[in-house]
Amino acid sequence: MSENPYQPIDSEIIDIIDESPTIKTFVVVTNGPFKFETGQFVELTLPGEGEAPFTPSSSPNDTEKMEISIMNAGRVTNLLHKCGKGQKVGIRGPFGNGYPIEDFVGKDVYIVGGGVGLAPIRSLFLTLVERAKDFKSIVCRYGARTPEDFIYKKTLHGKWQKIDGVDIKLTVDKANGDWKGNVGVVTTILKGDDVNIKNAVAVVCGPPIMMKFATLKLLEFGFADEQIYLSMEKNMSCGFGKCGHCMIGKYYVCKDGPVFTYDQIKKYPKIWD
Amino acid sequence: METVFTTDLKPLLDAVSQQMELYIPKKSGEFYVFIKYDPASGQTIEFNNIRACTPLKDFLFPVRELAAVFPEAAEAEEVKPFAVFGLKDCDLRALDVLDKVFIEKDFRDPFYVKRRENMFIIASDCFEPAGSCFCNVMDGKPFADKGFDLNISQVEGGFIVEIGSEKGDEFVKKHSNIFKNLPENALDERKKNRTETKKQLAEQNAEMKFDCPVREIFDSSEDSEVYDIEAKTCVECQACTRICPTCHCFYLYDTKQKDYFSKMKMWDSCMRQAYAAVAGGANPNKILGDRIKHRLMHKFVYFLDRYGINMCVGCGRCVDAEAGEVDIREIMKKLYQELKDRDSKLTKVSK
């Protein structure tokens, strides 16, 4: 951490990819290599306007540039969506803990995602497939509102589907066009025998309501509370557990999370709100 | 600890103010506030018998400060040594809380650390606790025995000055001409005064004699309706959090200046409705009663679990400042009663 933890690192948006009607991926370079662990997040400053937390969607092994997929959801993200290539931004971080990849070794990794929740999951996915042999299987279940709302469409429908040891299934809440896949929320494509629950971990990331019902479903299948890893979205601001906005009980999501096991946070009120 | 004596506070404070900026208590209406001391101005030196209204955090963690300038980082602002006279045991215990937060093994807030290192603490004993003081309930007392550079106790004919640190010791040695040896019986008198004030606190808070740790009262209150009931009398003025010496939430925001950008850090309050809201619109603490609950759970349970000390020091400032009618002591008493009622029901059932 730099001497002043509030000081952003000078960075620049060098490319912007339109992913869906509401989501864009920003390719950001910092002045010098930037290291993070998959699942950790950064605070991205739009100078003079504001700052917001995002989990990079690229692999941590690429330290030259970082990709951040951002949904147009609030004031800062709306302004970011209006930015073009060459926009100067600031980066603080990385903050929090990432996914405990070493604890996943030798197990089935069951990934459940929804909407923009695929962003952190993409980073995790890329990290896992780089060493796919270390895991028994990588099973991914992902839902979007409509076929247009899928992000990373090209790889999601193509390259990723073909990787050995990877099993991906997709669903949409509402079908249109020539969608031939499943229709229904993501929990409708979760099956009790997708993975060997005795030797598996589940990773859930998406909108709060989806995370809630996915978690309930996983528990119903027999997953233990400590086998379910949740990427919590709260109002992370300072990044080091001081400013208070992202508290879940005694935890600061920015410092102790954003990845928690369900076991850690289940006793606290309103975790899904 | 070593003690000396002085008949008059002025020479002592003059000597301090020659070395650094000094803030002293001044009565303003019902309460004391801190003002800058100017030895030449003929200011009256007041001995505050109770804690000042101003929380100590004001000196270390100002309401608003510049946290970062970019793209070119700015030189850090210079902090000059300063002293505060008239701090009480509750203030010093609040300082322990802030130290835990802002000076950790893996994190040091550079702005806080710099001011903290430059602060000279002159504490003093309480004589007349305010009606809202309940430090005794929170394991505090009306006098400090650690955490200060110097501590002043008023006795017949003058003031006992106790040395609490190397900095304090250096000061006393350097200005030995100001100090005298302790008169006989001075320490006995101090002891008597302290015992008397402790007794007074115990009497005024007799209704808050709990047979379990305060943490337990709150930890078991998850389903209590008390918070929602109390919320009906809260006007969301946020004064409780602003004046609280241990509340330390802050808000970061960005500004655009003529030729640079800046990141500002400003006090925030968990009583603010949008405090925990995220961009998508989710907000775990939309309801006022839930915010009051979160605030008190943080004070009495979460902070304790994380740092091992209570985040409430029982200074009672929130009770005095409150524009509505929410009273932390009343909530504590009501929740305790609920806990006892539950316990007795359980006992009946098991019988």
Side-chain angles (χ1 to χ4, degrees), chain B residues 1 28 31 33 36 60 71 117 230 243 258 319 332:
Chain B
M1 268 183 277
S28 166
F31 301 103
V33 293
K36 205 162 143 186
L60 297 163
E117 282 168 353
E230 289 295 316
I243 204 161
K258 210 172 154 199
V319 179
M332 211 182 275

Side-chain angles (χ1 to χ4, degrees), chain B residues 126-307:
Chain B
C126 296
F127 263 83
E128 297 162 335
S132 55
C133 287
F134 62 102
C135 62
N136 61 318
V137 180
M138 299 313 298
D139 306 321
K141 42 192 183 7
F143 56 90
D145 48 24
K146 61 177 188 322
F148 52 80
D149 295 303
L150 298 175
N151 183 71
I152 317 270
S153 316
Q154 194 167 21
V155 287
E156 185 75 39
F159 304 88
I160 299 173
V161 180
E162 184 166 327
I163 299 162
S165 73
E166 254 174 60
K167 265 204 260 180
D169 190 45
E170 253 171 56
F171 176 85
V172 168
K173 284 203 175 106
K174 193 172 162 195
H175 301 280
S176 55
N177 58 321
I178 301 172
F179 301 105
K180 298 180 170 62
N181 287 334
L182 273 190
E184 219 181 314
N185 302 331
L187 286 178
D188 288 340
E189 191 188 336
R190 181 176 81 170
K191 196 174 170 189
K192 197 174 134 250
N193 290 342
R194 287 178 167 183
T195 312
E196 184 54 40
T197 315
K198 270 169 89 169
K199 206 177 125 206
Q200 210 179 315
L201 275 163
E203 276 166 18
Q204 79 179 37
N205 295 312
E207 281 179 37
M208 286 199 280
K209 244 182 157 178
F210 307 124
D211 63 7
C212 66
V214 173
R215 184 192 181 286
E216 212 171 293
I217 300 175
F218 286 90
D219 198 30
S220 61
S221 71
E222 187 47 51
D223 301 320
S224 173
E225 285 172 13
V226 166
Y227 299 106
D228 288 325
I229 295 167
E230 289 295 316
K232 287 184 184 147
T233 67
C234 171
V235 296
E236 296 182 60
C237 66
Q238 304 174 8
C240 55
T241 51
R242 311 281 170 180
I243 204 161
C244 173
T246 68
C247 272
H248 54 266
C249 285
F250 58 86
Y251 180 73
L252 289 174
Y253 67 96
D254 287 87
T255 67
K256 192 177 178 174
Q257 306 300 333
K258 210 172 154 199
D259 46 8
Y260 64 92
F261 299 106
S262 62
K263 208 171 273 300
M264 305 294 296
K265 183 179 164 198
M266 189 171 78
W267 287 4
D268 201 356
S269 169
C270 61
M271 297 308 295
R272 192 166 60 76
Q273 196 185 24
Y275 175 79
V278 298
N283 183 357
N285 291 329
K286 249 184 296 240
I287 298 163
L288 181 56
D290 290 342
R291 296 203 290 283
I292 295 177
K293 188 197 292 176
H294 175 77
R295 171 170 138 74
L296 299 187
M297 291 293 276
H298 187 201
K299 287 250 174 285
F300 298 105
V301 181
Y302 304 152
F303 194 89
L304 187 65
D305 288 355
R306 194 172 182 99
Y307 291 109

Side-chain angles (χ1 to χ4, degrees), chain A residues 238 240-244 252 255, chain B residues 101-102 104 107 248-250 307:
Chain A
C238 72
F240 25 80
K242 305 297 158 198
C243 81
Y252 291 90
K255 187 177 182 181
Chain B
V101 173
F102 291 116
E104 286 197 278
F107 175 85
H248 54 266
C249 285
F250 58 86
Y307 291 109

Side-chain angles (χ1 to χ4, degrees), chain B residues 46-63:
Chain B
E46 298 176 54
F47 187 94
N48 52 325
N49 283 341
I50 63 157
R51 44 121 183 103
C53 171
T54 324
L56 177 56
K57 68 180 177 185
D58 217 10
F59 290 101
L60 297 163
F61 167 39
V63 175

Side-chain angles (χ1 to χ4, degrees), chain B residues 342-351:
Chain B
R342 270 198 306 274
D343 282 356
S344 64
K345 258 188 213 158
L346 283 176
T347 321
K348 267 184 210 158
V349 171
S350 65
K351 270 178 188 166

Side-chain angles (χ1 to χ4, degrees), chain A residues 225-266:
Chain A
D225 298 342
E226 55 276 10
Q227 281 175 286
I228 303 172
Y229 292 85
L230 305 165
S231 269
M232 300 306 290
E233 184 207 43
K234 294 286 160 194
N235 184 359
M236 293 97 100
S237 172
C238 72
F240 25 80
K242 305 297 158 198
C243 81
H245 296 82
C246 66
M247 284 182 91
I248 294 180
K250 70 170 179 177
Y251 295 116
Y252 291 90
V253 173
C254 70
K255 187 177 182 181
D256 308 313
V259 180
F260 292 95
T261 62
Y262 180 59
D263 186 51
Q264 280 178 287
I265 54 172
K266 65 179 176 190

